[in-house]
Amino acid sequence: MDIQSQRLTAAVRLALSLGVLAASGNALAQHAAADTGPAPAASSSSPPKAKKTEAKSMQAVQVTGSLIRRVDTETASPVVSLDASAIAATGKPTLGQVLQQFSSVSGNAANTSNNSNGGGGASPTLEGGDGAARISLRGLGTSRTLVLVDGQRMANADLNMIPENMIQRVDVLAEGASTVYGSDAIGGVVNFIMKKNYTGAEISANGGVSGHNDGNRRGFTLTAGKSGEKGSIVFGLNYNKYDPVLATARGFSKQQLYLSDGVPTPSGSSTIPTGRIQVGSALASRYGCSVNSSGVALITRASGNGGSLSDYRCYQGSTDAYNYNAYNYIQTEQERTGAFILGNYKFTDKLSAFVDIFYTHTDSSGQDAPAPTGVGDGWTLSSSNPNNPFGETFSSSSIAGDANSGYGFNTRLTGMGSRLHTFSTDNLQINTGLRGAYGDSSWTWDAMIDYGYSNRTQRNYNEVNVDKFQDAIDSGVNIFDQSDPAVVKALRSSLDTPVYQLVQGMKQVQFDSTGELWDLPAGAIQLSAGALYRQQYMNYTVSQDAVLDVATSTCEVLQEACGSPGRGSFNVKELYVEGLIPLLSEVPGAYALNLDIGVRTSQYSTTGTTTNKKIALEWRPIEDLLVRGTVSQVFRAPNLDELYDGQTIAGPNLNDPCVNLTTAELAAHSKACAGVPAGWSGNPNIQVGAFYSGAKAVGSTLKPEAGKSIDMGLVYDPSWLPGMSASVDFWHIYLNNLLTEITAQTVVNSCFSNENSPYCSYIHRYDATSKQAGDVYYINTPVVNLGTLDTSGIDYAMTYRIPHFDLGGFDPGHFSASLNATYTGSYKNNATPGQAGSKTVNYAGTYTQQFGNIARWRSSLTLNWTRGNWSAQWQSRYINHATNLDADAVTGANAPVASVLYHSIQLGYDVKSIKTRFDVGIDNLSNKIPPLVYQNSVDYNVDTSTYDTLGRYFWARATMKFL
């Protein structure tokens, strides 16, 4: 049997197994109250407008992007929706990957399946492997995309905590919405609208396996509820588990690839098990090794136990490189359990209450190669050590010729085992409140309380305690020979497990009131106003063995696992108002003309007060055509991480401008070059010490990002073609004072060109009395306000529910189609505006580590079919080609990133006699391999936020309903 047959057999067996489970469960059930309906449409633009003859019988609702309750759901806000049936048709048990089909999603975002490579996890912002999924609209990043549930802010924007089967629809508004929702809604908002009434019970079981017969997933959901005249309550449980997949399971990721002179070259880490050892020129000549300008050469053990000089040879760079990809995951191991309660109760016709409670517990893990270590971690190998054949000391200082310093020594501790970063995360979100009406008037009110709590505990297994490691070396352990089991056993006594805990919380109270003011000839003026108070806090703790000592750049464990605690909070008080003014109605040239204006004032305890306004126009020259436009001010206050992150170690490259300067030139740059002697030859290594942190750790302050969002578009619902809706929208977002981690190069360059730069205090060099005079000791690289960002483009959307027809008595069923596409025309960033050498770069159509994949075109096309008990869906998702900037490690040249077209199919059938629905599907039908982005990607040579890494994937689901 060939491999494809085996895969198909596995998928069929999976589907049959789920069917048996559902059928056996049904034997215990009573008759179901209602059948499961077919899955009609996939995604669409704003829901069709309500005709005036229909509007009288419809109830006003609050639409995404506005505070006004209204009947017409097609407004000035360009909302694209995904309904419950479309979500179910994807077959994905969590929402992290479902939302990738929106064309407005781009850039860097955490992906549930493959966000491993968590590193040391020394900072709360390093969340690799924690099983979370977040979304980035317009390529502006997850911190500039606001996630809501029924219009209320989530404390932790992990999409996976939302119960997928209780979602009525997902609204995506990809424009600035700060006047409606406050901070963070710059790229837009993703609003999950939950089902309000549910009667009955259902159980659903699902599973999946890749075409490589790995990457298994399985899970279930259990939901039960009751609705009546007074209200409803529904509760549920959900569970899913993903098996890990190693990077070596796919050819594109089995080893890190570097592009060198246009040739993809397998490579890896220079820290290898046989050691990367510095020696002086005398020993270099013995082995025939080349020396650098400091008279230092690199060697490694070739044979023996390392106790003899004849056991060594010259270090060969890429041919000796260590393949750390062999230990990384392309699908993270994770297990998730969730529960929810959704309820509402009507006390009277004028007063009701509601409560939504969501809870998830996630256990997940990322994995890295065995620990790399070097004398820079704080340990020393003395020249007198009996296992040291070189007669030289190896220590953290590697200045040749300095009698008080030694040479460098790096090695890979393979005997310690792979480093495993486990995460145990609890998330809780509670939204509750009262809703009422003022007598018999049109005015209604909402009083709401939101509470969110998140607790994430990370444990790093198989890290190394430096003091114990030093004791092992001093006691006679031969660090040169890790192939010796006795050496491995002795070194394992130095293993350590540092612990990092991040606790975050949100408390919010809010009061809104909405109603009509007075009537105009075109209709009633509507007003919505409200106030809220929100408090957010974080507390990040690090076990004592991993607390960073800034003076030495070390801690008790290896440097990569060092971190600093961080703690802080802020509160915000907000007042907001929005008015909808009908200007004209059913007159020649204006079937309808409405003006929407809004303003929000936000007072932050950390950054002061900001006021933002919006104005929007809705014009229907004829009933079928809507012309819309919105101009709004946007802002983003610094978040808790940007304010309160403690210091963590980084090792950036630095092109130091203080090299080879005269005494007079140094005097002209006394702050940037403090302690540098005349004719200084430069730092001994191109990599220098740096400390990332939030602003508070270095005593600086931050202010909000600010800018504008502009959207203009057309929506056409032709009455002559029922079921058709099409829209086109031009959008433009620009920001100033970007909140960004400053680079070491920018710090030094800024101070060098301007002695009054606030960044001069971030530079720390050894003073003139030191033997290392002038060398960079460390540079602080905190979050600062610096840079501008300007992006614009066009969105296209179309839906068509094809009218039913028959073929000579044969019923072909019902068909519908939807298309969503986004063209990003510009994505311009100036990292250092106003500074010498600053320039604006257009990243549209590029891939970079900083911004991710900003492909110019993204689109999705979905076709649906239903006939009787059958339904099917075909979806195609397209990502245009891009340019991988500075991809070549030698020449710095760019490289192409190919276009990708993904296809997925789904088939479903209702077995009404047993009240059960079966669905099967295949994702990545054509088994597309992701395009390579070489060393610019930290994960598996590919952009894991954009492309599929598992290949063709088979899935199945069975859903059974009860009374």
Side-chain angles (χ1 to χ4, degrees):
M1 181 182 292
D2 62 25
I3 187 66
Q4 291 294 341
S5 298
Q6 293 175 355
R7 295 167 186 165
L8 183 58
T9 300
V12 172
R13 287 176 178 170
L14 178 62
L16 292 175
S17 299
L18 292 173
V20 171
L21 172 65
S24 61
N26 189 71
L28 303 175
Q30 300 179 11
H31 294 293
D35 296 338
T36 303
S43 58
S44 66
S45 57
S46 302
K49 67 180 184 296
K51 305 293 185 182
K52 284 191 173 289
T53 56
E54 301 170 345
K56 295 177 182 178
S57 62
M58 295 178 65
Q59 184 178 3
V61 296
Q62 186 169 314
V63 297
T64 299
S66 175
L67 300 172
I68 302 294
R69 295 184 182 275
R70 54 193 300 187
V71 171
D72 195 352
T73 56
E74 201 170 73
T75 70
S77 299
V79 176
V80 177
S81 297
L82 194 69
D83 64 21
S85 60
I87 295 171
T90 67
K92 295 177 172 60
T94 57
L95 291 166
Q97 292 175 312
V98 173
L99 299 188
Q100 284 187 327
Q101 64 184 276
F102 284 106
S103 60
S104 55
V105 174
S106 63
N108 286 321
N111 185 306
T112 308
S113 295
N114 45 38
N115 61 331
S116 69
N117 246 4
S123 165
T125 58
L126 296 177
E127 298 174 333
D130 71 349
R134 297 174 177 85
I135 190 168
S136 167
L137 291 174
R138 302 294 188 214
L140 294 175
T142 58
S143 62
R144 299 186 184 99
T145 301
L146 184 61
V147 178
L148 311 169
V149 175
D150 285 333
Q152 297 302 112
R153 178 184 296 258
M154 290 184 67
N156 182 358
D158 180 3
L159 306 180
N160 293 330
M161 73 178 297
I162 303 170
E164 185 178 298
N165 65 319
M166 286 307 298
I167 296 173
Q168 178 177 319
R169 71 176 191 276
V170 181
D171 287 349
V172 173
L173 170 64
E175 71 170 8
S178 292
T179 57
V180 179
Y181 301 110
S183 178
D184 307 337
I186 290 179
V189 298
V190 179
N191 191 11
F192 294 90
I193 310 300
M194 310 305 291
K195 296 175 182 177
K196 302 301 187 294
N197 297 292
Y198 183 93
T199 296
E202 70 175 41
I203 185 171
S204 179
N206 67 84
V209 62
S210 81
H212 293 259
N213 203 27
D214 60 11
N216 294 53
R217 76 180 189 219
R218 56 277 198 196
F220 73 87
T221 63
L222 175 64
T223 309
K226 178 68 174 178
S227 297
E229 292 184 1
K230 284 290 189 178
S232 70
I233 185 168
V234 57
F235 65 90
L237 300 172
N238 54 75
Y239 170 86
N240 56 77
K241 184 175 183 179
Y242 292 78
D243 290 345
V245 179
L246 283 169
T248 50
R250 301 295 185 271
F252 62 81
S253 59
K254 64 182 181 181
Q255 187 159 355
Q256 190 70 30
L257 296 176
Y258 283 71
L259 193 65
S260 300
D261 279 329
V263 178
T265 305
S267 189
S269 171
S270 61
T271 302
I272 60 178
T274 53
R276 183 170 60 92
I277 306 165
Q278 286 185 344
V279 294
S281 56
L283 283 174
S285 61
R286 172 190 176 97
Y287 302 109
C289 305
S290 59
V291 298
N292 62 18
S293 59
S294 298
V296 172
L298 296 175
I299 64 171
T300 190
R301 183 172 61 86
S303 61
N305 65 2
S308 170
L309 292 178
S310 61
D311 291 343
Y312 297 87
R313 61 167 173 81
C314 299
Y315 173 76
Q316 297 298 323
S318 61
T319 59
D320 282 333
Y322 181 77
N323 183 20
Y324 54 83
N325 264 22
Y327 298 87
N328 292 343
Y329 291 149
I330 58 172
Q331 174 161 289
T332 303
E333 182 177 18
Q334 55 194 277
E335 186 173 18
R336 183 177 296 102
T337 304
F340 66 89
I341 298 175
L342 308 177
N344 59 80
Y345 185 78
K346 183 163 63 175
F347 297 105
T348 69
D349 289 341
K350 306 296 183 183
L351 180 64
S352 62
F354 73 94
V355 61
D356 297 342
I357 303 174
F358 308 99
Y359 168 79
T360 58
H361 174 81
T362 303
D363 290 313
S364 56
S365 63
Q367 180 175 277
D368 288 331
T373 187
V375 291
D377 286 312
W379 55 268
T380 298
L381 182 63
S382 170
S383 59
S384 61
N385 189 292
N387 297 303
N388 184 353
F390 300 103
E392 299 282 358
T393 293
F394 298 94
S395 64
S396 58
S397 178
S398 57
I399 309 301
D402 187 341
N404 296 320
S405 64
Y407 289 97
F409 183 112
N410 293 75
T411 189
R412 176 78 57 169
L413 302 176
T414 51
M416 301 294 202
S418 59
R419 289 166 293 161
L420 189 65
H421 316 295
T422 66
F423 297 84
S424 179
T425 307
D426 291 288
N427 287 322
L428 175 66
Q429 180 80 36
I430 302 174
N431 299 341
T432 186
L434 298 171
R435 293 190 171 108
Y438 297 99
D440 295 327
S441 73
S442 64
W443 284 81
T444 61
W445 57 268
D446 298 87
M448 293 165 285
I449 298 174
D450 295 346
Y451 172 80
Y453 174 83
S454 176
N455 186 334
R456 188 192 76 202
T457 301
Q458 175 182 349
R459 288 178 169 84
N460 284 8
Y461 292 94
N462 294 336
E463 294 288 354
V464 178
N465 184 289
V466 176
D467 289 340
K468 293 180 180 179
F469 187 73
Q470 183 72 67
D471 290 342
I473 294 174
D474 293 343
S475 67
V477 174
N478 184 7
I479 187 62
F480 294 96
D481 185 14
Q482 291 190 58
S483 60
D484 183 348
V487 171
V488 170
K489 182 179 180 180
L491 290 179
R492 286 187 64 83
S493 65
S494 63
L495 287 177
D496 201 348
T497 306
V499 180
Y500 315 83
Q501 185 177 37
L502 174 64
V503 175
Q504 292 180 298
M506 182 191 81
K507 302 173 185 178
Q508 177 173 294
V509 293
Q510 182 175 355
F511 183 84
D512 298 329
S513 193
T514 303
E516 298 178 357
L517 288 178
W518 57 79
D519 288 333
L520 296 178
I525 296 177
Q526 298 179 67
L527 185 74
S528 180
L532 70 77
Y533 173 84
R534 181 172 70 252
Q535 182 187 58
Q536 292 181 244
Y537 64 89
M538 69 166 277
N539 184 18
Y540 184 67
T541 58
V542 179
S543 58
Q544 188 59 44
D545 52 353
V547 174
L548 173 67
D549 182 350
V550 176
T552 62
S553 297
T554 62
C555 60
E556 292 179 22
V557 291
L558 303 184
Q559 280 185 325
E560 53 92 17
C562 298
S564 300
R567 183 175 185 176
S569 65
F570 66 76
N571 63 70
V572 56
K573 303 167 187 174
E574 295 188 305
L575 298 173
Y576 46 89
V577 63
E578 182 179 354
L580 181 68
I581 306 171
L583 302 177
L584 296 172
S585 177
E586 298 189 16
V587 299
Y591 182 80
L593 180 64
N594 300 322
L595 178 66
D596 188 340
I597 55 176
V599 62
R600 176 180 289 253
T601 294
S602 307
Q603 184 183 60
Y604 278 80
S605 60
T606 48
T607 57
T609 301
T610 177
T611 299
N612 296 272
K613 311 175 189 70
K614 83 162 185 177
I615 182 169
L617 194 67
E618 307 166 6
W619 173 42
R620 290 189 181 273
I622 58 175
E623 185 175 6
D624 294 350
L625 178 65
L626 170 65
V627 181
R628 62 190 179 190
T630 302
V631 178
S632 61
Q633 295 173 310
V634 294
F635 80 102
R636 182 174 77 88
N639 61 36
L640 292 165
D641 289 335
E642 292 161 337
L643 288 167
Y644 302 115
D645 262 5
Q647 292 177 303
T648 55
I649 299 172
N653 291 344
L654 179 69
N655 182 14
D656 202 319
C658 300
V659 173
N660 291 325
L661 299 186
T662 66
T663 301
E665 290 171 328
L666 290 170
H669 305 283
S670 59
K671 291 184 179 179
C673 305
V676 174
W680 179 64
S681 60
N683 295 287
N685 298 303
I686 191 172
Q687 278 194 330
V688 298
F691 294 117
Y692 160 80
S693 71
K696 297 296 184 182
V698 296
S700 66
T701 59
L702 297 174
K703 53 187 176 182
E705 297 176 339
K708 284 188 179 179
S709 172
I710 301 170
D711 189 277
M712 296 179 290
L714 304 171
V715 183
Y716 186 45
D717 300 312
S719 55
W720 54 269
L721 188 60
M724 166 66 80
S725 178
S727 66
V728 57
D729 288 275
F730 164 81
W731 49 270
H732 184 190
I733 301 170
Y734 62 90
L735 292 171
N736 299 309
N737 295 318
L738 292 184
L739 290 161
T740 183
E741 175 189 347
I742 196 169
T743 67
Q745 193 68 60
T746 299
V747 168
V748 175
N749 289 351
S750 298
C751 183
F752 190 82
S753 61
N754 177 14
E755 288 281 282
N756 296 317
S757 169
Y759 306 139
C760 288
S761 62
Y762 297 165
I763 304 171
H764 300 266
R765 296 181 186 268
Y766 290 97
D767 63 31
T769 64
S770 170
K771 293 182 179 181
Q772 297 168 260
D775 293 357
V776 169
Y777 176 34
Y778 68 89
I779 298 173
N780 282 321
T781 56
V783 175
V784 298
N785 288 105
L786 184 65
T788 62
L789 189 60
D790 185 317
T791 181
S792 61
I794 301 174
D795 288 339
Y796 305 87
M798 183 193 72
T799 62
Y800 184 38
R801 297 179 182 270
I802 302 171
H804 186 252
F805 60 93
D806 61 59
L807 300 173
F810 172 73
D811 181 6
H814 297 264
F815 295 86
S816 64
S818 65
L819 170 69
N820 287 284
T822 294
Y823 172 74
T824 301
S826 68
Y827 192 99
K828 299 176 181 178
N829 171 244
N830 188 329
T832 57
Q835 298 188 16
S838 67
K839 62 179 180 179
T840 298
V841 179
N842 187 0
Y843 290 96
T846 72
Y847 170 81
T848 59
Q849 270 192 293
Q850 181 181 7
F851 296 112
N853 189 304
I854 312 293
R856 288 192 180 273
W857 280 102
R858 290 177 185 244
S859 64
S860 64
L861 173 64
T862 306
L863 301 177
N864 287 88
W865 167 77
T866 60
R867 182 177 183 270
N869 296 340
W870 290 93
S871 67
Q873 176 177 284
W874 169 76
Q875 185 179 74
S876 176
R877 186 165 67 96
Y878 174 73
I879 302 121
N880 195 31
H881 62 81
T883 300
N884 184 8
L885 296 185
D886 304 322
D888 198 297
V890 176
T891 66
N894 300 331
V897 179
S899 300
V900 172
L901 182 63
Y902 291 116
H903 301 281
S904 63
I905 57 173
Q906 171 263 344
L907 180 67
Y909 183 73
D910 283 321
V911 185
K912 294 191 175 181
S913 60
I914 59 173
K915 308 302 181 185
T916 300
R917 176 180 175 84
F918 297 95
D919 293 277
V920 294
I922 305 175
D923 297 333
N924 193 356
L925 183 64
S926 54
N927 197 30
K928 285 286 186 181
I929 297 174
L932 300 181
V933 291
Y934 306 108
Q935 79 278 1
N936 276 348
S937 173
V938 295
D939 293 321
Y940 343 112
N941 308 309
V942 300
D943 170 17
T944 59
S945 293
T946 304
Y947 304 106
D948 170 75
T949 58
L950 291 186
R952 186 181 292 116
Y953 199 87
F954 303 90
W955 62 268
R957 180 180 62 233
T959 304
M960 177 176 51
K961 283 186 174 286
F962 304 82
L963 276 177

